[in-house]
Amino acid sequence: MGHHSCCSKQKVKRGLWSPEEDEKLINCITTYGHGCWSSVPQLAGLQRCGKSCRLRWTNYLRPDLKRGSFSPQEAALIIELHSILGNKWAQIAKHLPGRTDNEVKNFWNSSIKKKLIPHEVNPAFASFSSDHIHNSRSHGSEEGFFTLNTNPNLGSQPQDQLDLPIVPSPMPSLGLDYHDDFNNILKLEQTSYASNFVDHFLPPFQLPSNNSSSCESSSWSLGYQPHCQYDPNVQQLQNFSFNEAAAAQYNNIGNELMVPISMASSAPAAYEIIDSNACGMPILYPSDTQELDSLAKLSCFTSGHGSHPQDLQFPSNQLECIKAIMSSLPSSSSSL
DNA sequence: AATTCTCGCAACCGCCTTTAT
DNA sequence: GATAAAGGCGGTTGCGAGAAT
């Protein structure tokens, strides 16, 4: 396979960029903009392909880039979003101002993934189906409880039939009132993880309802039934098949939890449901969720005062767990 | 001190999608 | 509608720096 068309037409330099090249590119972009990347090399006097220029600019030279280590909040957000979006680095990066998809991807591959994969406990990679959960709970089976690398974004399913991975937050403390050190979870063997998964993630998920019968129903244990579908075009959860009784419960919880029963088009993902309980924050789902992006649904994050991840507030126990993650990472420094 | 190993990061590759003709 | 060009994205590679032996 040859190179990109814009690269094959001329001799292009490869490898690391020199400061002189950077300066030329910056001058060119600031002067002319980058309406057409293929013309940038000529305008800038660079022997690079337009694609390379675009990459250099977006990943390194852009003035709004934030350099340096990822904060625990950013790491937490990456993990959370990855559990939702999979390896959609560009989508994830959009929620991290000043971070590029490449940066997020590298951070994930070099730090987070490494931390999770060796123990084969990577909920962010796991996709659960209601059948998995049903089978696991009803039959006590541990085998096949979850599958790795079945992220819908990596699969070949039709775009309108992608199963959203309804997985509990890989950061338990984010979604649950979870007091164990996250590293302890990471150390679980796969089988023990499978068997402990329900205990670790599902039980804390209880509705603060007066009517406990509904909460104790088997269906409620699957309150986040993974029947929602994922539309990659809008990056929205759609057609969430939500247990009606549970939804009704939701609707009756206090005055602040305004989750409409008709959640077919504005369904919460697992983290949304869980967060409402764990974070002690009301979930306010607007009637029109078209503009509600994934980040906005992260109630734990949106409970903070700022609009940017770095400004987000975490409950103290969550911060502790995130700190544990970050401190265990080789080179990431905590900014807390 | 020299060598090997490990790790993080920048950049490239190739595929897919979007846009223009 | 078909084709080509360009843009965008995710996966992978290679290099350099620091750590370990």
Side-chain angles (χ1 to χ4, degrees), chain A residues 115 117 147 160 174 179 231 239 242 262 330:
Chain A
K115 188 71 187 178
I117 289 296
T147 58
D160 59 348
L174 263 183
H179 301 294
D231 184 344
N239 301 325
F242 192 75
S262 56

Side-chain angles (χ1 to χ4, degrees), chain A residues 58-315:
Chain A
T58 56
N59 287 341
Y60 200 81
L61 298 176
R62 246 170 51 200
D64 59 328
L65 286 180
K66 179 167 75 176
R67 313 300 300 183
S69 302
F70 282 79
S71 68
Q73 287 90 344
E74 287 176 306
L77 184 55
I78 290 170
I79 295 171
E80 184 78 18
L81 288 172
H82 188 273
S83 72
I84 303 164
L85 299 170
N87 292 0
K88 297 286 185 183
W89 306 118
Q91 291 295 323
I92 294 172
K94 284 178 183 175
H95 295 297
L96 294 154
R99 301 295 188 182
T100 68
D101 55 351
N102 207 36
E103 213 174 356
V104 171
K105 178 173 58 181
N106 282 335
F107 178 63
W108 178 270
N109 287 331
S110 64
S111 297
I112 301 175
K113 184 178 177 180
K114 196 175 298 176
K115 188 71 187 178
L116 298 176
I117 289 296
H119 305 281
E120 298 199 63
V121 179
N122 190 354
F125 282 151
S127 172
F128 297 85
S129 71
S130 58
D131 288 338
H132 287 143
I133 298 174
H134 269 306
N135 291 338
S136 176
R137 303 205 82 183
S138 59
H139 303 132
S141 170
E142 293 179 357
E143 290 185 4
F145 180 74
F146 68 97
T147 58
L148 293 174
N149 295 319
T150 53
N151 189 295
N153 301 308
L154 304 176
S156 57
Q157 296 155 294
Q159 287 190 344
D160 59 348
Q161 289 294 327
L162 293 174
D163 289 327
L164 185 81
I166 300 301
V167 296
S169 169
M171 289 183 308
S173 60
L174 263 183
L176 306 168
D177 185 14
Y178 198 86
H179 301 294
D180 291 345
D181 189 315
F182 182 49
N183 285 317
N184 290 336
I185 302 172
L186 298 181
K187 289 171 185 173
L188 291 171
E189 295 296 327
Q190 178 174 336
T191 52
S192 63
Y193 175 80
S195 61
N196 287 326
F197 176 85
V198 172
D199 293 335
H200 279 150
F201 292 100
L202 297 181
F205 179 32
Q206 293 176 349
L207 284 172
S209 168
N210 294 330
N211 182 359
S212 60
S213 60
S214 296
C215 299
E216 292 168 0
S217 69
S218 60
S219 61
W220 179 243
S221 68
L222 300 173
Y224 37 96
Q225 290 180 0
H227 288 159
C228 60
Q229 295 173 345
Y230 183 72
D231 184 344
N233 296 321
V234 294
Q235 302 296 341
Q236 290 280 346
L237 308 176
Q238 290 186 338
N239 301 325
F240 188 92
S241 177
F242 192 75
N243 179 278
E244 297 237 347
Q249 284 294 326
Y250 250 114
N251 226 29
N252 292 331
I253 299 170
N255 296 324
E256 294 183 328
L257 192 61
M258 302 191 303
V259 182
I261 295 178
S262 56
M263 302 180 80
S265 62
S266 60
Y271 59 90
E272 298 163 345
I273 301 168
I274 296 170
D275 285 351
S276 69
N277 183 37
C279 300
M281 297 293 175
I283 297 179
L284 303 178
Y285 292 113
S287 56
D288 179 6
T289 57
Q290 287 298 316
E291 302 300 324
L292 188 65
D293 66 12
S294 299
L295 176 59
K297 295 177 182 177
L298 296 172
S299 60
C300 282
F301 294 100
T302 55
S303 65
H305 302 297
S307 59
H308 298 296
Q310 58 267 38
D311 301 326
L312 299 170
Q313 303 295 313
F314 289 81

